[in-house]
């Protein structure tokens, strides 16, 4: 699967993840279903409708409308409370995963859609557009809607038991980060050619706004290169902070104003980072969760240890999968992109844990043992970041720990790295 799709598909997917989109879609289907029942009225024998008892559909719709409004209101208030709990106990950056959770959106959309279906059905019944056959069809559809609501409600109750918990938040961050790592492992250059060293030649194109790169449309950049017979070196990949003094890319031919704007339009710049194409953001969020757990107000070293183990799993996964394809598929031959930065991943996850947990021996032991595990993987990309993190962790521990035995325990847990 291609990591970077077109800009418009990316923006459309961003909107489709919002709660209003799914709820609106369910409501539209509900309204259409309620109104279509009147169109098949003449095809259903009236005696069959009387025998089944289709006249009771009005009472059933009334019960459904009243109950669904209550359930939807309760579910929405529960979601808001869960978001607040996740923001206070974990990190506000992780609440986006809860907001975009498909199970929560499906539940709310089902409840709201069922409510609107019942309201439209009641209005249609009161206006007299249904005959006996239409009432029978409406009754059958209502029974299906009730069954769907029951199944959704049971799943939603199970979901509510974990929603907003720190452990569940860590699990979600791990899952989305692992998916981003897998996509990058399948194609490290995102379809372009990798460029290990930053380019020094070419003409810079700079943004006109401040924010984070959320998406780069490499397809449009390739079209630009083919039309103007040039090459482009991308300097800012998803996750990079940009502002008007930092170049987005370098192009081999000097672009005019229109061409420069066209190049800028290939970049989606937002006010916050996203998880999907930015593995580094997942490591940053995990580090923030651990820092919150280690704060004096929370004092939960167990969560910090869980985060360290989660980060270790992710880095082991990348070590096993991220460097296997020596000849990745190149779909954009005129585009150069920088390789993934493992050093930034280490900084985003471990620096804050080493600083905030420096006084707690169990946290520092777990941290340095995870470094020892990563050192045994013999990954060249990990060697320098590991050396820096080990030295930093030992300095923090020596400065913050008061008992010599604790300092020695931490030193004994540290890996022996060349030059250390």
């Amino acid at each position: 699967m291609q990591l970077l799709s077109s800009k418009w598909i990316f923006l459309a997917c961003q909107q489709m993840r919002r709660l209003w989109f799914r709820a609106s879609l369910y409501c539209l289907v509900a309204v259409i279903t309620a109104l279509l029942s009147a169109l098949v009225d003449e095809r259903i024998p009236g005696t069959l409708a009387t025998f089944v008892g289709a006249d009771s559909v009005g009472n059933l719709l009334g019960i459904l409308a009243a109950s669904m409004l209550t359930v939807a209101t309760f579910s929405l208030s529960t979601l808001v409370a869960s978001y607040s709990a996740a923001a206070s106990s974990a990190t506000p950056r992780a609440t986006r995963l809860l907001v975009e959770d498909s199970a929560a959106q499906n539940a709310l959309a089902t409840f709201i859609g069922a409510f609107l279906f019942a309201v439209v059905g009641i209005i249609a019944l009161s206006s007299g557009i249904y005959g006996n056959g239409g009432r029978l069809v409406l009754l059958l559809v209502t029974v299906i809607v009730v069954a769907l609501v029951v199944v959704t409600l049971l799943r939603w109750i199970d979901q509510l038991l974990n929603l907003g918990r720190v452990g569940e938040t860590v699990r979600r961050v791990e899952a989305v980060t692992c998916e981003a790592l897998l996509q990058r492992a399948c194609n490290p250059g995102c379809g372009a050619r990798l460029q290990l060293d930053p380019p020094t030649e070419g003409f810079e194109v700079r943004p006109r706004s401040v924010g984070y790169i959320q998406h780069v449309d490499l397809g449009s950049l390739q079209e630009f290169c083919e039309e103007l017979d040039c090459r482009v070196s991308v300097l800012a990949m998803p996750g990079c902070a940009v502002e008007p003094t930092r170049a987005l890319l370098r192009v081999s031919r000097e672009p005019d104003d229109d061409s420069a704007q066209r190049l800028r339009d290939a970049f989606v710049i937002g006010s916050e980072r996203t998880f999907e194409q930015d593995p580094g953001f997942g490591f940053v969020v995990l580090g923030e969760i651990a820092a919150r757990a280690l704060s004096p107000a929370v004092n939960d070293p167990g969560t910090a240890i869980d985060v360290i183990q989660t980060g270790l799993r992710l880095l082991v996964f990348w070590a096993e999968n991220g460097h296997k394809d020596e000849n990745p598929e190149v779909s954009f031959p005129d585009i150069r992109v920088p390789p993934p930065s493992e050093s930034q991943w280490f900084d985003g996850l471990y620096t804050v844990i080493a600083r905030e947990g420096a006084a707690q021996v169990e946290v520092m032991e777990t941290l340095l043992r995870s470094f020892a595990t990563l050192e045994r993987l013999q990954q060249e990309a990990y060697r320098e970041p590991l050396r820096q993190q080990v030295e930093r962790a030992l300095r923090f521990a020596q400065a913050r720990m008061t008992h010599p035995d604790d300092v020695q325990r931490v030193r004994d847990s540290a890996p022996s790295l060349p030059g250390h």
Side-chain angles (χ1 to χ4, degrees):
M1 183 176 64
Q2 185 175 310
L3 176 62
L4 295 175
S5 59
S6 71
K7 175 181 177 179
W8 298 113
I9 294 178
F10 171 80
L11 294 175
C13 290
Q14 292 292 100
Q15 295 300 318
M16 289 171 63
R17 293 191 186 100
R18 293 181 177 271
L19 176 60
W20 67 264
F21 176 83
R22 196 164 304 199
S24 300
L25 187 62
Y26 275 53
C27 291
L28 180 62
V29 172
V31 172
I32 293 175
T33 302
L35 295 178
L36 283 179
S37 299
L39 300 180
V40 297
D41 180 59
E42 297 180 355
R43 301 183 181 182
I44 306 296
T47 55
L48 178 61
T50 303
F51 175 77
V52 174
D55 290 337
S56 63
V57 67
N59 295 330
L60 186 58
L61 288 173
I63 296 173
L64 186 63
S67 59
M68 286 301 97
L69 182 60
T70 303
V71 171
T73 303
F74 167 77
S75 299
L76 186 58
S77 63
T78 303
L79 274 180
V80 172
S82 299
Y83 298 158
S84 300
S88 60
S89 61
T91 171
R93 258 63 62 188
T95 56
R96 181 170 174 265
L97 295 177
L98 302 181
V99 173
E100 295 181 353
D101 179 59
S102 60
Q105 290 189 2
N106 282 334
L108 275 177
T110 300
F111 300 150
I112 297 173
F115 167 75
L116 191 57
F117 167 80
V119 170
V120 173
I122 292 172
I123 294 175
L125 282 173
S126 301
S127 63
I129 68 172
Y130 292 121
N132 289 334
R135 287 173 178 269
L136 177 59
V137 174
L138 185 61
L139 175 62
L140 295 176
V141 174
T142 302
V143 171
I144 295 174
V145 170
V146 170
L148 178 62
V149 167
V150 170
V151 173
T152 303
L153 187 58
L154 292 175
R155 291 180 177 176
W156 180 229
I157 291 173
D158 182 66
Q159 182 82 5
L160 288 177
L161 296 177
N162 296 317
L163 194 64
R165 292 188 176 184
V166 177
E168 175 67 11
T169 304
V170 172
R171 186 194 66 80
R172 289 172 183 266
V173 176
E174 179 183 7
V176 72
T177 305
C178 187
E179 178 65 23
L181 288 173
L182 180 60
Q183 291 181 357
R184 200 71 191 266
C186 293
N187 198 336
C190 308
R193 299 184 186 275
L194 288 177
Q195 182 166 289
L196 301 180
D197 298 321
T200 57
E201 299 180 353
F203 300 91
E204 292 184 348
V205 175
R206 301 180 179 182
R208 292 178 176 172
S209 58
V210 177
Y212 294 97
I213 300 296
Q214 296 181 341
H215 175 80
V216 183
D217 189 350
L218 297 180
S220 66
L221 291 179
Q222 177 63 32
E223 292 178 2
F224 177 88
C225 292
E226 293 174 355
E227 291 177 9
L228 299 184
D229 190 23
C230 62
R231 292 186 303 276
V232 165
S233 296
V234 177
L235 304 179
M237 292 294 285
C240 293
V242 295
E243 30 82 17
T245 64
R246 178 176 179 176
L248 294 172
L249 51 81
R250 286 180 178 269
V251 59
S252 59
R253 294 180 58 178
E254 183 175 10
D256 55 24
D257 292 342
D258 292 339
S259 297
Q261 185 57 45
R262 181 178 172 185
L263 291 171
R264 292 188 192 98
D265 290 340
F267 292 79
V268 177
I269 300 177
S271 59
E272 58 185 12
R273 296 172 71 173
T274 58
F275 290 95
E276 290 78 12
Q277 301 173 7
D278 180 11
F281 188 42
F283 289 104
V284 170
V285 172
L286 287 173
E288 290 181 353
I289 295 174
R292 180 68 62 88
L294 292 170
S295 64
V298 179
N299 192 23
D300 181 16
T303 294
I305 291 174
D306 290 343
V307 169
I308 293 172
Q309 295 298 106
T310 299
L312 178 61
R313 284 195 297 271
L314 291 171
L315 290 171
V316 170
F317 173 82
W318 176 256
E320 295 176 348
N321 299 276
H323 304 278
K324 285 187 175 181
D325 193 354
E326 298 180 356
N327 298 300
E329 179 182 356
V330 177
S331 304
F332 313 112
D334 296 320
I335 309 297
R336 306 292 188 273
V337 299
S341 177
E342 288 89 349
S343 178
Q344 293 181 0
W345 300 350
F346 275 74
D347 286 339
L349 174 62
Y350 291 125
T351 300
V352 65
I353 297 178
R355 183 179 66 245
E356 299 299 328
Q360 303 191 34
V361 62
E362 63 272 20
V363 174
M364 298 305 290
E365 276 189 314
T366 304
L367 180 64
L368 288 164
R369 285 171 182 166
S370 70
F371 291 160
T373 300
L374 293 174
E375 190 273 336
R376 289 192 293 270
L377 297 177
Q378 298 294 319
Q379 287 292 315
E380 180 64 30
Y382 288 176
R383 183 168 290 117
E384 182 59 23
L386 270 176
R387 185 189 65 80
Q388 295 176 359
Q389 292 297 329
V390 169
E391 291 180 351
R392 182 180 292 117
L394 291 176
R395 286 198 304 268
F396 281 137
Q398 189 168 2
R400 296 280 300 279
M401 289 183 180
T402 58
H403 201 286
D405 290 346
D406 290 344
V407 177
Q408 189 58 44
R409 284 175 57 184
V410 170
R411 287 190 173 275
D412 292 341
S413 302
S416 298
L417 299 176
H420 179 257

